[in-house]
Amino acid sequence: MLATVLFTDVVGSTQRAAELGDKRWRDLLGAHDTAVRRELERFRGHEVDTAGDGFFATFDGPARAVRCAISIGKAVRPLEMEIRTGIHTGECELDGPKIRGIAVHTGARIASLAGPGEVLVSQTVKDLVSGSGLAFEDRGLHELKGVPEWRVYAAV
């Protein structure tokens, strides 16, 4: 299936967890998860999986994914959190309830390039949202571990 994949990760989560302790970190992460799920619902995203402090979600439209990522970043700032996000659109393989494939790996690798507060997207996403009113800055070509080289853009 063709899908837009979105990956988020909390910046500095291990250090923050160590500072707060397990109970307070768990409570803060619960508030983070609630905020992310609220934005996913608002933008018609589908939660696929979570891993620690990160989310993997899919969308049937790339513009909604980008707008959702920007909105998630704003929603978690009052929690004194910053997230990094990566978005890519491509063919995905369905494996029962799981979604797999090169598009998924590419989205995850793009997320790993993002800095605090950044929403990075592939060239594919940028091209697909042309005319949507979204704006991007070129962040150059990147070798992504295990997948082909991609031009990456930051949503601004």
Side-chain angles (χ1 to χ4, degrees):
M1 75 175 208
L2 182 65
T4 298
V5 296
L6 174 146
F7 287 88
T8 68
D9 180 53
V10 175
V11 176
S13 60
T14 303
Q15 179 181 348
R16 188 86 183 272
E19 291 168 357
L20 294 175
D22 289 338
K23 167 83 171 83
R24 288 177 56 210
W25 173 247
R26 189 172 53 249
D27 292 345
L28 183 60
L29 199 54
H32 161 272
D33 292 355
T34 298
V36 172
R37 288 182 175 119
R38 182 179 58 242
E39 297 309 312
L40 287 175
E41 183 177 335
R42 181 174 161 219
F43 289 92
R44 297 190 333 227
H46 301 279
E47 179 181 333
V48 175
D49 201 2
T50 61
D53 57 23
F55 273 76
F56 167 28
T58 61
F59 293 79
D60 63 5
R64 269 196 313 284
V66 174
R67 288 186 174 102
C68 182
I70 293 167
S71 189
I72 289 170
K74 291 176 184 175
V76 300
R77 275 193 203 107
L79 302 174
E80 296 180 12
M81 289 181 154
E82 289 282 354
I83 61 167
R84 70 180 97 243
T85 307
I87 302 171
H88 178 60
T89 300
E91 287 288 332
C92 299
E93 299 292 323
L94 297 178
D95 182 10
K98 297 185 183 213
I99 297 174
R100 303 180 191 276
I102 297 301
V104 174
H105 293 286
T106 302
R109 298 295 186 246
I110 290 171
S112 72
L113 297 173
E118 278 192 316
V119 175
L120 294 185
V121 306
S122 66
Q123 173 81 50
T124 304
V125 170
K126 179 187 176 289
D127 290 347
L128 288 170
V129 303
S130 177
S132 68
L134 292 166
F136 300 93
E137 288 180 357
D138 190 342
R139 292 297 166 87
L141 286 171
H142 292 270
E143 287 288 331
L144 303 177
K145 182 181 173 186
V147 295
E149 182 177 79
W150 283 93
R151 183 163 297 280
V152 175
Y153 295 85
V156 293

